[in-house]
Amino acid sequence: VQLQASGGGLVQTGGSLRLSCTASGRTLSAYDINWFRQTPEKEREFVAHSRHGGKITYYADSVRGRFTISRDNAENTVYLQMNSLKPEDTAVYYCAVRTTFNGPYFRMNQYDYWGQGTLVTVSS
């Protein structure tokens, strides 16, 4: 699976962005998909999860109620809609896919394929 992440940019506090992660090589609907994020000061952290089939989602406490993960199966794309952005949301955002479902969904080491990352900067 090759993943292409896009949609990052510079936005003011309170603004919105939508990130996209488009896959080639396999159909995303069969797999779990996460968004993670990383800053130079912190380890890569879990942001949002979409269970294979697309009906179950989970979020980190820090983004719940502001971010929404969704899928467009026809486009083989996953989105992360980010609203009410805060400066602490500034990070490089990565999409990731896992093809087996035996371990915790929020752990990085569960994921087999990664996008290249897209930078989100929220100015105060």
Side-chain angles (χ1 to χ4, degrees), residues 68-97:
T68 303
I69 187 171
S70 63
R71 301 178 183 236
D72 183 335
N73 290 333
E75 297 292 329
N76 214 28
T77 297
V78 173
Y79 301 101
L80 185 69
Q81 178 66 44
M82 305 186 297
N83 298 329
S84 302
L85 282 161
K86 305 174 181 180
E88 52 264 42
D89 295 318
T90 295
V92 177
Y93 284 71
Y94 298 89
C95 57
V97 167

Side-chain angles (χ1 to χ4, degrees), residues 10-25:
L10 174 64
V11 64
Q12 290 186 332
T13 296
S16 298
L17 282 175
R18 188 178 76 162
L19 306 183
S20 301
C21 177
T22 300
S24 58

